[in-house]
């Protein structure tokens, strides 16, 4: 066995990584040739790699390190919990203190009567749980034919077989197929799909697709609608203002359960504790993960309202994971929530940082390759385009130009992701204003350099 440490030369770590480690959502052979970037430590909003570069993390890991890196309190709580009770399950009529406390805290934080919590370990598992909750709910209510869950194209709800089917990522469906009774409607992405419509009309049209789908599939068949308040992995797509009120109206009218997937939007990301509050919706269920523990430990949850809890409470719900409500993860999450609240991180981000981020990020809108710029709270995106006025796509495969800009972000020590030809950001909620200045300066430099490369490659032209 090789002793592998932070002090090994980067090439050696890369070679070992390529030899044995399979990366998610990656073309392994290409990465093996190039070598993965090795991250060795992190503090606040800054990552350090094995070559000693300091990189500004404009993505908070994968949209999750809301509290920032390097909080000793979380490490201490984890160590204490591991010593006291490293593991016990919550099956067979047992419980433990961290899970009791975390469920109580989540019931307090979650809006309305979302007061009951089922724990899992990842957003994917929580969404699988949601499918089972929804179908069990309708069975128990004597309507077993209500099994269809409506979702949206370009939604992301996870990578397990069921949650990837629930999501709307065509590439994922193509590789592993679908599960029965999931139906997708179009997404409210005005920039890419709005054509000549106003954003408001387009928002309404996309929301009304839900009503059409319910009527086509049959009111008696549709169990639930699931959506992210703001699509994250799909490219930080902020729906037009008309969209959510209409969706809410339709869900209420046909009495279908509304599931808000808050995996990215939760815990301060959009300027409130939950994205549902920012978008003014009243879900019956919420999926939470990521910011719940700020990524320090894997934990997720389905939070349901009183009605669903009452129906499920009357039957045996045949579901659960070995690590549902894991004591160490629960203790870490609880401490994370305490700090987010007591240090005023969520309110400071909403009141002080978000307006500043919006101003700085929107200033990139004057760049020749940038079309719309959207910022809500502490998440944002910008659309790359060869023609702002027509909102044209590039004459290249989608994502080619986005990837070229992301490469320049990496080279300039900024983590800013691309989703197709949109660039997305979601920094830690503890980023400073000086770091926001740095983020926008590095983003501009990456855009400038990317623009030169795109022109040199003959790609700065519209798809005909
Ligand atoms: N729902 C939403 C809204 C998510 O964003 C999941 C569920 C699944 O969570 P887990 O913990 O199972 O990964 C997510 C995850 C990306 C990216 O490239 C986004 C996610 C995960 C990995 C990559 O933007 N979101």
């Amino acid at each position: 066995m090789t002793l592998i440490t932070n002090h090994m030369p980067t090439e050696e770590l890369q070679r070992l990584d390529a030899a044995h480690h399979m990366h998610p959502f990656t073309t392994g052979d290409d990465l093996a040739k190039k070598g993965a970037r090795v991250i060795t430590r992190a503090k606040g909003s800054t990552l350090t790699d094995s070559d000693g570069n300091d990189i500004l993390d404009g993505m908070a890991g994968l949209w999750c390190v809301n509290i920032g890196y390097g909080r000793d309190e979380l490490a201490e709580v984890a160590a204490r919990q591991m010593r006291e009770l490293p593991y016990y399950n919550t099956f067979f009529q047992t419980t433990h203190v961290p899970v009791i406390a975390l469920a109580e805290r989540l019931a307090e934080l979650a809006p309305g009567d979302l007061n009951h919590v089922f724990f899992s370990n990842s957003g994917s598992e929580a969404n699988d749980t949601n499918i089972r909750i929804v179908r069990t709910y309708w069975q128990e209510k004597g309507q077993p034919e209500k099994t269809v869950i409506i979702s949206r194209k370009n939604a992301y709800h996870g990578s397990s077989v069921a949650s990837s089917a629930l999501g709307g990522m065509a590439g994922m469906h193509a590789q592993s197929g679908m599960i029965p009774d999931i139906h997708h409607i179009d997404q409210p992405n005005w920039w890419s799909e709005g054509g000549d419509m106003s954003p408001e009309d387009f928002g309404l049209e996309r929301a009304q697709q839900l009503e059409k789908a319910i009527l086509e599939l049959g009111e008696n068949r549709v169990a639930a609608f699931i959506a992210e308040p703001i699509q994250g992995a799909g490219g930080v797509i902020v729906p037009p203002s008309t969209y959510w009120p209409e969706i809410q109206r339709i869900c209420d009218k046909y009495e279908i359960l509304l599931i808000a997937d808050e995996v990215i939007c939760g815990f301060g990301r959009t300027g409130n504790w939950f994205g549902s509050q920012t978008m003014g919706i009243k879900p019956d269920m919420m999926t939470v993960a990521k910011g719940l523990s700020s990524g320090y430990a894997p934990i997720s949850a389905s939070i349901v309202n009183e009605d669903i809890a009452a129906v499920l409470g009357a039957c045996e719900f045949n579901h659960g994971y070995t690590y549902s409500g894991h004591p160490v993860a629960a203790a870490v999450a609880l401490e994370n929530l305490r700090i987010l609240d007591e240090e005023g991180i969520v309110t400071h981000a909403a009141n002080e940082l978000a307006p500043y981020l919006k101003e700085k990020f929107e200033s990139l809108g004057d760049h020749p390759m940038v079309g719309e710029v959207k910022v809500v709270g502490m998440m944002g995106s910008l659309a790359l385009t060869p023609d702002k006025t027509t909102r044209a796509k590039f004459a290249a495969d989608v994502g080619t130009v986005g990837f070229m800009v992301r490469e320049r972000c990496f080279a300039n020590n900024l983590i800013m992701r691309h989703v197709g030809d949109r660039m997305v950001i979601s920094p830690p909620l503890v980023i400073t204003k000086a770091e926001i200045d740095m983020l926008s300066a590095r983003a501009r430099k990456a855009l400038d350099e990317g623009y030169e490369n795109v022109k040199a490659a003959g790609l700065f032209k519209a798809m005909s």
Side-chain angles (χ1 to χ4, degrees):
M1 197 179 81
T2 323
L3 179 65
I4 300 173
T5 73
N6 263 358
H7 304 295
M8 272 186 163
T10 299
E11 302 74 50
E12 184 63 3
L13 288 167
Q14 287 172 331
R15 190 187 63 72
L16 286 162
D17 182 68
H20 304 293
H21 176 207
M22 298 169 80
H23 289 248
F25 287 89
T26 298
T27 308
D29 290 353
D30 291 350
L31 182 64
K33 276 191 218 118
K34 191 169 153 194
R37 195 158 192 174
V38 184
I39 305 299
T40 50
R41 57 178 60 84
K43 184 90 190 153
S45 301
T46 304
L47 307 165
T48 303
D49 73 9
S50 54
D51 294 327
N53 295 303
D54 286 337
I55 308 155
L56 182 61
D57 186 4
M59 283 304 298
L62 265 182
W63 324 78
C64 54
V65 189
N66 292 13
I67 203 174
Y69 298 94
R71 292 297 302 236
D72 283 342
E73 298 91 328
L74 273 64
E76 269 148 29
V77 160
R80 202 183 319 139
Q81 187 59 46
M82 279 198 190
R83 290 196 186 96
E84 200 170 286
L85 180 71
Y87 175 75
Y88 202 71
N89 67 70
T90 51
F91 289 47
F92 314 129
Q93 312 198 343
T94 57
T95 191
H96 50 72
V97 176
V99 84
I100 297 170
L102 181 59
E104 195 239 12
R105 183 67 182 125
L106 283 172
E108 207 168 61
L109 281 174
D113 70 342
L114 296 175
N115 289 333
H116 302 269
V117 188
F118 193 102
F119 288 103
S120 307
N121 309 288
S122 64
S124 304
E125 285 179 19
N127 278 328
D128 278 29
T129 299
N130 290 344
I131 297 173
R132 308 203 66 200
I133 289 177
V134 160
R135 292 183 177 164
T136 307
Y137 171 83
W138 288 114
Q139 271 171 26
E140 291 300 311
K141 281 180 70 104
Q143 291 174 270
E145 67 289 353
K146 262 177 155 341
T147 52
V148 177
I149 302 178
I150 300 179
S151 176
R152 305 180 300 178
K153 293 175 191 161
N154 199 35
Y156 193 83
H157 296 303
S159 195
S160 61
V161 172
S163 63
S164 64
L166 198 56
M169 298 293 175
M172 296 174 83
H173 297 164
Q175 280 180 342
S176 68
M178 292 294 291
I179 63 166
D181 291 349
I182 307 288
H183 181 85
H184 294 96
I185 59 174
D186 288 322
Q187 61 172 336
N189 180 345
W190 176 80
W191 175 267
S192 293
E193 301 176 6
D196 294 335
M197 293 174 96
S198 70
E200 291 72 26
D201 288 349
F202 175 75
L204 270 184
E205 188 270 325
R206 288 287 150 114
Q208 283 160 2
Q209 282 195 16
L210 176 60
E211 189 157 31
K212 285 206 190 85
I214 294 169
L215 295 174
E216 270 164 36
L217 294 159
E219 253 181 88
N220 60 332
R221 295 269 292 116
V222 179
F225 174 67
I226 183 167
E228 304 149 80
I230 295 170
Q231 287 155 263
V236 183
I237 310 298
V238 182
S241 60
T242 47
Y243 182 77
W244 271 116
E246 185 66 0
I247 292 281
Q248 182 76 56
R249 180 191 72 74
I250 296 164
C251 289
D252 292 348
K253 178 171 176 196
Y254 296 96
E255 291 182 6
I256 65 169
L257 299 174
L258 173 57
I259 311 171
D261 185 336
E262 296 268 3
V263 168
I264 285 177
C265 292
F267 307 103
R269 177 58 58 201
T270 68
N272 287 289
W273 277 92
F274 297 100
S276 300
Q277 295 160 326
T278 305
M279 304 315 272
I281 47 175
K282 288 199 173 59
D284 301 292
M285 302 170 60
M286 281 186 350
T287 325
V288 294
K290 295 194 191 268
L292 169 57
S293 66
S294 286
Y296 281 60
I299 184 165
S300 66
S302 306
I303 313 180
V304 306
N305 68 14
E306 293 288 354
D307 172 39
I308 297 171
V311 172
L312 259 79
C315 72
E316 179 171 340
F317 182 40
N318 296 318
H319 180 67
Y321 304 106
T322 303
Y323 300 132
S324 285
H326 190 285
V328 176
V332 169
L334 197 60
E335 181 67 357
N336 171 60
L337 297 181
R338 184 190 70 73
I339 295 174
L340 286 178
D341 181 31
E342 285 180 12
E343 292 187 5
I345 292 173
V346 172
T347 43
H348 177 72
N351 300 334
E352 292 292 323
L353 298 176
Y356 195 70
L357 182 70
K358 188 171 163 68
E359 179 195 325
K360 291 287 157 175
F361 203 61
E362 281 181 355
S363 73
L364 299 170
D366 66 4
H367 192 277
M369 201 161 58
V370 174
E372 76 167 0
V373 186
K374 291 281 181 189
V375 178
V376 175
M378 297 297 285
M379 64 199 290
S381 62
L382 50 86
L384 302 173
T385 178
D387 187 341
K388 302 174 193 245
T389 50
T390 60
R391 313 203 305 272
K393 296 181 174 50
F394 293 95
D397 288 345
V398 175
T400 309
V401 171
F403 181 79
M404 288 168 83
V405 174
R406 193 193 74 180
E407 289 289 272
R408 298 319 305 159
C409 291
F410 254 51
N412 284 290
N413 289 331
L414 170 67
I415 307 277
M416 172 161 80
R417 282 264 321 280
H418 81 107
V419 175
D421 292 323
R422 282 184 95 87
M423 306 306 298
V424 299
I425 53 160
S426 146
L429 306 186
V430 297
I431 192 171
T432 63
K433 287 189 176 173
E435 286 169 331
I436 292 175
D437 291 343
M438 196 189 285
L439 186 154
S440 61
R442 289 183 187 178
R444 183 171 289 278
K445 188 152 181 282
L447 284 164
D448 286 344
E449 293 171 6
Y451 182 42
E452 291 309 318
N453 292 348
V454 169
K455 281 192 295 190
L459 296 177
F460 195 73
K461 55 176 193 253
M463 173 133 17
S464 50

